[in-house]
């Protein structure tokens, strides 16, 4: 992870997990969405995109097609939910932070890299608010990170690249907090169903993976 | 569940789980999507919709707004994936079956009701193909069903209605097969993270719930 | 016709005219469209939709295509106009009622079934406003109902099903009030033009048809 | 009416009915829509548009808004239907003619002016096919024309301008053929319903109006 | 050029440059765009369209396709910029003028005809504001006009028609003011690059062309 | 400029001109657009995008809004035209190359940086085709590069940053070839018109600027 990669954003982090490169920026917005007005609470939301040639063969540009795919919308909702789960929206106050996660190069695990990097950008953005005296305390009670893992011929593997991911029988994503909680568990059988025991094995592997990411997040932020 | 509720469809099932009513129809299409042509395999896909006044307050009509929400796209992808996990696409041959799941009335758990009912409509549709001699054997090695459950003040509950769902700390959906496998596990913390032990408790509860649905599916189909 | 088929809506009616089934709900909206503000008048509008497999072969979902067809827009404008013709918008006051008419199964005459059922849902919705003391008197001076009819080999027939409708030389819809007035007359020659005398014959037939519907509307509402 | 106003089109007619000016062009297309292929029949279709400042106050441009209004789609379907009612599609053969009707200036009755002018442009286009020997005989067994009329304080009036139209209690459009037939009858009560007798009075008035247009159509085409 | 061709618009001009016919109207809007509010300045903007059969073969209608092409957007931005360059927006005050330029028939040079005609419509619109005493002085310090020119086999030609334009090696548009200034210079090599000397030759030719248009603008406005 | 920044693309170049960073990738497509089929010629086209927080304040994501702005479309048309002007499409043969130019960070001059970098990516892509023996000779007879310049208080300046660009009276872009030709000249007066002499001064400055870029292009490609 590298921070301060954007000159303009209130927080930014370039995540490189293998050949997956995601640029995450945090933008501070002074208002909140209409349905949240006058409730003394803030909001954290995310948008996700992928450059057309981030992938092995070129993917059509969503802006040119005129709409975001279901996959894009599903991912950006997941990123937003994951970050809100570790944000104290009351402490944040009536302001919104938008996390833009743009995949420059993809090789599996783009959504989990995005979540892990977006937390760093979000931290920079809210730390700046604390430094400026705008809010009293850091509204981030815990770190959040995510990993993808899967079953390849029945063997549980962490952080699959694209080639592994395509052939994996089961694909799972775990979003976890540094305080030991689970924010999101998604396990999907691509071809044949998986067992409960396999789910537990993936869960243990994911815990090991997110612990490494928490350490890296603290390192780049100097915590 | 009630079957044969549509005069035109090749398979149909009206699911009423509490105040959640979903109409599922199966439509046989003679071709497959372009990217699957000439591979000797079929496809199963799903579309999901909700009538504007299925909800407590009226929801804007997606056709009028000119696009489907991210939630709709996420759900219809889930339904399609769940059904494909129990369908032998090679036995099905080069034809596509579209499952339309339309929510007439909603009170929580619409996506899980849709999956459970869509399997019944799909079964009717492929059984008809077997009866007509178009395909040799039933391409459905197992049943699939789904339940939603959640943690309400730390207590695991099955099949939450809308009021419970809104206040639940964690919301989970499990898609399971009658042969004991897991097809999809989705657990989401709404406010504060959940623990691994809570995840396992929800899993046990879901198994009990889907077993009941498998029995109901067999009953309406006379299996 | 069956009323109270929706748990959430302020008024609801399921119309079954032969194999044509339309679910009509009335939703009360506290505001009026921007161009009508501060004029002391209300508004009644309608939206129309058709489930993909309401038809003999599956019709593409409008929400998925990203726009409503011209036919859909034409029909929902007709429904709205027909209901406004029998509503006293001043008595209704500054509130809007949205009628959603969704075709669950189609076999000809969906727009006329929608108008006839929507009036029942509208009646329930405004009666509730009167009961609550929100408005003084019922703003519905008359009933409104619609029938489709046509010329099949020169013979005037009422309420054509899909097969008859497809082969009819002329297709007509009449929207009439219980006080003997005409709200809308639409006659269309599909292949060869029709004569004035034939138009009059269709008109007489339509009067007989709407009289039956007025009786049914009064019956389900207990008027 | 003035013909040959477009240098490029296969047929063209500028209609000026009072302050309503509509430019109608006919374009010959060598193919037919996919659903009509290999049936030995042709197709006639229409598109309708209005320049933004054709109206008293500027109307938003449909191309800029990204979609056609329901009104536009309703009108262009009406124009297409009206012309097909007097076209022998078998004689026309497997080719399509597109009529573009663009309102340069509006003062009521744009759809009826469009139909009346489009027939002239269509006639020029098919006459050219006959002249070129592409088709044997003229596939236009009759002329078609349309008029708008309405009830103003109970009095039947022909060809209402915008001011009259806005205050009219009932607004009607009649599409008629030169052989005495009716192609389309549309009568709409804006506020209070109309009677059957009033409908008949409007019908007689419309007949007088279309007879005048038929004469004008023959004059500009030199028939 | 012919003025006062529109009954409704605050200014209008029909430009016929060869077989290119463009109808330009000016519409006065009482508000300005949101980002310009409360700054004591006005705005001038333009929209451009082309009738489907303005061209040799029919072009698809942008309103039907649901979006404007890049070419349309590029042209309407150019027209707006060109007019603003000769408008004193402070004198105009907090009001917006929209210029609609619709091509009735095209044979090359539609954007330059549009700019030249739009200035005339704009002049009529602001003169009317002066006459009404709404603004003190005419906010048009100079005239603006545009010409297209190009290199055909290395020879500089003014005002290319469509046939010449298609084969021209270089295509250029110049927007110039009557006070000798340049507002916009656009030179594009279609196939092989052009030289600086050729650019200068085109510039001289353009000056001659715009001088003629300035004279015509003054003539139709009686200046 | 840095090359080979993308693992997947057939050519790639990251351009950093001051604080403007643009990632350019070239993707080889085996087919050509439908209108160019069977003519023995290839095609070069471009798409342009900007990350939401590339700018000082966040810009709405085009994919989320559902359409590309006019500015985006204008720029990507310019990039495509510029590259085609130095590509021998016959030598390229029936294949298409798509250049994606995505702005990671913006500070003025993004379109000119995109053109200059896209040529490098294009060169890598076609060199690969030559190396593979797919085409005989390099279809790039010259280099192409672009610079932005402008008049700030009457003084001609090269490569304006965002702050300078916003206050510049005139903004110009020049696309030039290494063989001394002009491909595109765009000069726009923002507020008051410019003179012919100023245009010439900008032209001389642009020649100096592009010469530097040509040297840099040769350096990174090792030519």
């Amino acid at each position: 992870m590298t921070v301060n990669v954007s000159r303009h954003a209130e927080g930014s982090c370039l995540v490189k997990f293998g050949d997956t490169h995601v640029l995450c920026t945090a933008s501070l917005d002074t208002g909140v969405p209409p349905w949240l007005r006058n409730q003394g609470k803030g909001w954290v939301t995310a948008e996700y995109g992928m450059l057309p040639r981030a992938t092995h063969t070129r993917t059509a540009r969503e802006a040119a097609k005129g709409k975001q795919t279901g996959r894009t919308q599903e991912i950006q909702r997941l990123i937003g939910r994951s970050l809100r789960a570790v944000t104290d929206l009351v402490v944040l106050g009536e302001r919104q932070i938008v996390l833009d996660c743009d995949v420059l190069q993809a090789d599996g695990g783009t959504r989990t890299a995005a979540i892990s990097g977006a937390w760093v950008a979000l931290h920079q953005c809210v730390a700046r608010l604390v430094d400026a005296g705008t809010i009293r305390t850091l509204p981030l009670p815990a770190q959040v990170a995510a990993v993808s893992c899967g079953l390849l011929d029945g063997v549980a593997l962490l952080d699959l690249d694209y080639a592994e991911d395509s052939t994996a029988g089961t694909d799972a994503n775990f979003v976890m907090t540094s305080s030991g909680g689970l924010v999101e568990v998604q396990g999907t059988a691509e071809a044949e169903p998986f067992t409960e025991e396999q789910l537990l094995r993936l869960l243990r592997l994911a815990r090991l993976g997110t612990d490494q990411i928490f350490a890296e997040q603290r390192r780049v932020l100097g915590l």
Side-chain angles (χ1 to χ4, degrees), chain A residues 110-122:
Chain A
T110 63
R111 76 185 70 186
T112 51
I115 291 168
S116 304
W119 185 82
V120 173
L122 174 62

Side-chain angles (χ1 to χ4, degrees), chain A residues 68-210:
Chain A
Q68 295 179 304
T69 61
R71 179 184 169 277
T72 291
Q73 295 190 51
E74 188 176 328
I75 293 176
Q76 60 195 16
R77 284 156 55 92
L78 171 64
I79 301 171
R81 266 199 322 263
S82 299
L83 294 171
R84 285 194 298 275
V86 291
T87 306
D88 186 326
L89 298 171
V90 174
V91 171
L92 179 58
E94 288 223 359
R95 48 187 64 84
Q96 175 172 258
I97 296 171
V98 183
L99 278 308
D100 284 291
C101 302
D102 286 274
V103 181
L104 305 186
Q105 191 173 281
D107 189 35
T110 63
R111 76 185 70 186
T112 51
I115 291 168
S116 304
W119 185 82
V120 173
L122 174 62
H123 190 280
Q124 287 195 317
C125 183
V126 292
R128 188 182 281 219
L129 287 173
V130 173
D131 289 351
T134 313
I135 58 177
R136 293 260 179 100
T137 55
L138 210 62
L140 289 178
Q143 290 168 257
V144 74
V147 289
S148 67
C149 43
L151 294 168
L152 200 62
D153 299 325
V155 181
L157 289 178
L158 191 65
D159 214 0
L160 282 65
D161 64 25
Y162 180 74
E164 292 166 338
D165 191 44
S166 306
T167 51
T170 290
D171 185 32
N173 294 300
F174 294 89
V175 184
M176 293 171 156
T177 71
S178 55
S179 50
L182 288 162
V183 170
E184 186 97 18
V185 173
Q186 289 184 338
T188 303
E190 294 302 322
E192 60 181 293
F194 53 100
T195 65
E196 296 186 13
E197 205 227 300
Q198 287 172 322
L199 176 65
L200 296 184
R201 228 180 310 144
L202 291 170
L203 193 58
R204 276 194 299 273
L205 204 57
R207 181 57 68 191
L208 296 174
T210 51

